[in-house]
Amino acid sequence: MSNKIEVDLERLQQAFESVRDRLLREQNSEGHWTGQLSTSPLSTATAVMALHQVVKGNPERSAELSPLIENGLAWLGEHQNGDGGWGDTLKSFSNISTTMLSHAVFHATEQSAKYAEVVERADRYITEMGGVAAVVKRYGKDKTFSVPILTHCALAGLVDWKEVSALPFELACLPHQFYATIRLPVVSYALPALIAIGQVRHHFRKPWNPLHSWLRNFSIPQSLRILKRTQPTTGGYLEAAPLTSFVTMSLAAKGLSTHPVVEDGVRFLKDSVLEDGSWPIDTNLATWVTTLSVNALGEELPEENREKILQWLLEQQYKEVHPFTQAAPGGWAWTNLSGGVPDADDTPGAMLAVLALSKEEASPEIQSALQNAARWLLDLQNRDGGWPTFCRGWGALPFDRSSADITAHCIRALERVKTLTPFTSEIESGIRAGFRFLDKQQRADGSWLPLWFGNQHAPEDINPVYGSAKVIAAYRDTGRIEALQAQDGLRWLREAQNEDGGWGGVQGAPSSVEETSLAVEALLSSDVATTEVARGVGWLIDRVESKTIDETTPIGFYFAKLWYFERLYPIIFSASALRKAKETCQGHSSNEN
């Protein structure tokens, strides 16, 4: 940068060292990071329903599971929002989905009288929001979440089964190559829900067509075998309590409470319950937060830590075809646990971290890992030039489409590894196609929208600050920061700054550590935004000095519009932004000397 950032260098140095040291203290005994995901009323409600259905079908498990059910109900009763609803996290606004799920378990467990005031307030909220119609409207054509929610409520006797759409679980018996072609009504990662919820709905409400009914009955054994084959060793599908609970409750409710899938699902729920009686959205994002931490710390990561983290990361790369999505070897998932699935956000993050840890001195082992990862990403790229999260060609539903933030991440990783591969020209072609996609995705105001992150204070829950920051990084890392698209994105970021010097998901949304850090780091890519950067850096320094730098914000989407926050995000993001600001200021000082 050619212009000086007017900040107090001593305060900046101290602030950075504070968050750096805090982040380093979060390393576990194995050298990597685990993090901690937010607890969730939605996860808790679905887990309680699953365990209740198991006890209902297998009363001899009551002594074992009833305490978990009772503790979950008590936790939900204590954490109802003032408006009578529940949000996905304890920092989230109430929404119709989580409220209907939470409300239903008090009825299903016949505890509505004990929690009469809680149930009455929830009833009023659901009526005001529009009930079943509001759930269907919220998700549109995507049945990944709307049908499980209504199934959950039907099991509680609150929704008629005729209001629950049938899911074609018999299609799961087709070879996986056909899944994208037949346009399943659920996203690629929700196949277990398609099978289990499709079966329980079929159990309670058969099709009028006898041939269709026969076909589904015929498909039940085979689809159950697929369900078992794709279940991770932990028992948790995607390591997620909601998805595992939906599968478990559905099979138990149709009379399969002792089926091996149910047994393993219950084991996962028992293992993942928190001390306060609630359940988190997912077990952890260990691989994701580790790669984020490595890339945030850069050269500030102590030398003695590098080799252990590097070897751990290399061990997490998938070496075989994944049984769940049939993904080829070469990718990374968000967690080191068996429920993870390789995806196009964690894979480039891991590639960049491996390069940082090895200081780009690629041994044969590292070179092979990076080549396999690059090939995996190229094979995943969609025809539109963008990258989806999990599976190529699944473009019918929003969370399977190409996205700007993931595409930008893939471009950054491929740019860094292209000279380490024998297919450099193919990578360069993929990068050009990726930029064409990004150009088309840029909004008229200059911003980009992400797929897996949002802001509950913004219209339609969008988060263009996150999306724009991630895309600008791709222009920066490929030497395209002077491109008109990048300059328009930078201009939009500058204009989105709040009066207090921070950023939210959009201008006017409350400033957060996560979003301010992302915006500051993106603006450091340019030599124009020095005033805005200085104010943003000052905002972050103030948070460090007031000991509020670790204040989390629900900005992440786990499934569809299922919100979460991660305890390490503000520490990681601020460490990265403050390090870049410090390095920029030190560069200016050296130039002046």
Side-chain angles (χ1 to χ4, degrees):
M1 293 177 63
S2 59
N3 296 329
K4 184 176 180 181
I5 301 174
E6 297 294 339
V7 296
D8 186 319
L9 294 181
E10 184 176 352
R11 289 181 68 211
L12 173 57
Q13 179 70 30
Q14 291 175 350
F16 168 70
E17 290 177 357
S18 176
V19 292
R20 177 200 63 193
D21 294 346
R22 170 71 181 276
L23 185 54
L24 289 172
R25 288 196 299 271
E26 292 287 346
Q27 285 179 282
N28 59 29
S29 59
E30 296 178 356
H32 62 273
W33 286 262
T34 302
Q36 183 179 336
L37 282 160
S38 50
T39 189
S40 167
L42 186 145
S43 292
T44 302
T46 56
V48 167
M49 179 65 81
L51 297 177
H52 168 70
Q53 292 298 329
V54 172
V55 170
K56 188 176 177 181
N58 192 6
E60 61 191 47
R61 300 199 71 173
S62 177
E64 171 195 2
L65 301 180
S66 290
L68 295 176
I69 295 170
E70 293 165 5
N71 290 342
L73 290 171
W75 186 89
L76 285 170
E78 292 169 4
H79 292 89
Q80 186 178 33
N81 288 338
D83 60 7
W86 284 268
D88 296 342
T89 77
L90 297 185
K91 296 185 177 186
S92 300
F93 299 149
S94 298
N95 66 69
I96 186 64
S97 304
T98 302
T99 302
M100 286 185 66
L101 291 167
S102 300
H103 172 253
V105 294
F106 293 103
H107 286 278
T109 58
E110 299 182 351
Q111 294 296 305
S112 55
K114 179 179 178 180
Y115 293 94
E117 292 185 10
V118 171
V119 172
E120 183 180 348
R121 289 197 298 269
D123 262 327
R124 285 199 298 268
Y125 178 90
I126 292 168
T127 300
E128 291 171 3
M129 291 298 105
V132 172
V135 171
V136 174
K137 181 180 179 181
R138 188 177 189 211
Y139 301 102
K141 295 180 180 179
D142 188 351
K143 299 182 184 297
T144 305
F145 226 36
S146 61
V147 173
I149 291 166
L150 297 180
T151 296
H152 175 110
C153 294
L155 293 176
L158 299 179
V159 168
D160 193 297
W161 281 103
K162 68 182 180 181
E163 295 188 88
V164 182
S165 298
L167 292 180
F169 66 88
E170 66 275 11
L171 296 180
C173 299
L174 293 173
H176 71 91
Q177 295 93 334
F178 289 95
Y179 290 169
T181 304
I182 58 181
R183 300 281 176 162
L184 293 177
V186 298
V187 292
S188 56
Y189 50 83
L191 192 62
L194 173 80
I195 295 172
I197 292 174
Q199 286 196 19
V200 73
R201 200 275 189 184
H202 174 72
H203 176 80
F204 285 103
R205 187 175 176 83
K206 301 287 193 302
W208 63 268
N209 186 323
L211 181 61
H212 203 174
S213 184
W214 174 86
L215 176 62
R216 289 193 168 166
N217 287 332
F218 179 78
S219 302
I220 287 174
Q222 174 65 9
S223 60
L224 283 174
R225 286 193 290 271
I226 293 171
L227 198 59
K228 180 56 188 168
R229 188 179 72 235
T230 57
Q231 189 170 30
T233 57
T234 61
Y237 293 98
L238 300 184
E239 294 298 319
L243 180 56
T244 306
S245 297
F246 286 136
V247 171
T248 302
M249 72 175 71
S250 297
L251 295 189
K254 64 172 293 225
L256 299 179
S257 58
T258 60
H259 190 278
V261 168
V262 174
E263 296 283 351
D264 285 345
V266 169
R267 173 168 56 84
F268 172 79
L269 294 175
K270 288 174 61 179
D271 290 343
S272 58
V273 66
L274 302 176
E275 291 184 2
D276 63 4
S278 68
W279 276 264
I281 291 291
D282 197 275
T283 307
N284 65 54
L285 307 180
T287 304
W288 176 241
V289 295
T290 295
T291 61
L292 286 176
S293 298
V294 169
N295 293 324
L297 290 169
E299 294 297 321
E300 296 285 342
L301 181 64
E303 192 66 34
E304 61 269 22
N305 294 3
R306 291 176 175 272
E307 185 60 28
K308 183 183 287 189
I309 301 172
L310 176 60
Q311 291 306 313
W312 183 84
L313 271 180
L314 291 173
E315 290 171 3
Q316 307 318 315
Q317 187 177 29
Y318 284 87
K319 310 298 193 302
E320 299 176 353
V321 172
H322 196 279
F324 189 39
T325 58
Q326 300 299 311
W332 276 267
W334 60 89
T335 180
N336 59 321
L337 300 173
S338 62
V341 175
D343 67 82
D345 213 7
D346 290 286
T347 297
M351 293 165 70
L352 292 169
V354 166
L355 284 167
L357 290 166
S358 62
K359 296 187 176 180
E360 304 202 23
E361 296 176 3
S363 66
E365 178 188 15
I366 291 172
Q367 192 163 342
S368 175
L370 294 174
Q371 285 183 12
N372 291 339
R375 170 50 58 195
W376 190 84
L377 287 179
L378 289 176
D379 290 344
L380 189 67
Q381 189 173 20
N382 277 331
R383 290 182 179 179
D384 61 11
W387 270 269
T389 309
F390 298 111
C391 297
R392 185 178 190 273
W394 288 60
L397 302 175
F399 280 79
D400 269 328
R401 293 174 185 157
S402 300
S403 65
D405 52 327
I406 291 178
T407 298
H409 209 180
C410 292
I411 287 173
R412 292 175 59 205
L414 290 171
E415 175 71 19
R416 292 283 297 278
V417 305
K418 65 183 182 182
T419 58
L420 300 177
T421 73
F423 41 90
T424 303
S425 61
E426 190 176 347
I427 289 177
E428 290 175 341
S429 177
I431 289 173
R432 287 193 296 272
F435 274 114
R436 287 194 294 272
F437 172 80
L438 293 178
D439 292 349
K440 292 178 181 178
Q441 292 299 305
Q442 188 169 29
R443 301 200 301 169
D445 61 8
S447 67
W448 287 271
L449 297 181
L451 179 62
W452 293 99
F453 289 82
N455 185 293
Q456 63 180 349
H457 298 278
E460 300 182 10
D461 298 333
I462 60 174
N463 197 328
V465 165
Y466 185 97
S468 300
K470 293 300 182 181
V471 173
I472 287 168
Y475 281 92
R476 176 198 67 208
D477 290 359
T478 56
R480 291 172 168 84
I481 198 63
E482 298 301 325
L484 178 62
Q485 294 88 344
Q487 291 300 310
D488 282 348
L490 288 164
R491 173 190 49 75
W492 183 89
L493 269 183
R494 293 195 297 271
E495 295 172 355
Q497 189 171 29
N498 288 330
E499 291 183 5
D500 64 3
W503 279 263
V506 294
Q507 187 180 45
S511 298
S512 76
V513 174
E514 295 94 332
E515 289 149 334
T516 300
S517 300
L518 291 166
V520 165
E521 187 169 347
L523 290 173
L524 282 166
S525 305
S526 168
D527 62 0
V528 176
T530 52
T531 301
E532 290 82 2
V533 169
R535 294 176 62 215
V537 170
W539 190 94
L540 291 173
I541 292 173
D542 288 343
R543 296 308 174 279
V544 175
E545 293 175 346
S546 64
K547 302 187 185 307
T548 56
I549 195 67
D550 59 354
E551 181 66 30
T552 54
T553 304
I555 63 170
F557 289 140
Y558 197 76
F559 300 112
K561 289 190 174 183
L562 173 51
W563 296 91
Y564 75 87
F565 58 82
E566 159 57 54
R567 183 170 59 84
L568 291 184
Y569 277 174
I571 303 301
I572 294 170
F573 293 174
S574 62
S576 185
L578 291 172
R579 177 175 69 86
K580 296 291 178 62
K582 176 180 71 76
E583 290 172 354
T584 299
C585 290
Q586 288 174 343
H588 289 320
S589 298
S590 299
N591 292 335
E592 291 174 357
N593 293 333

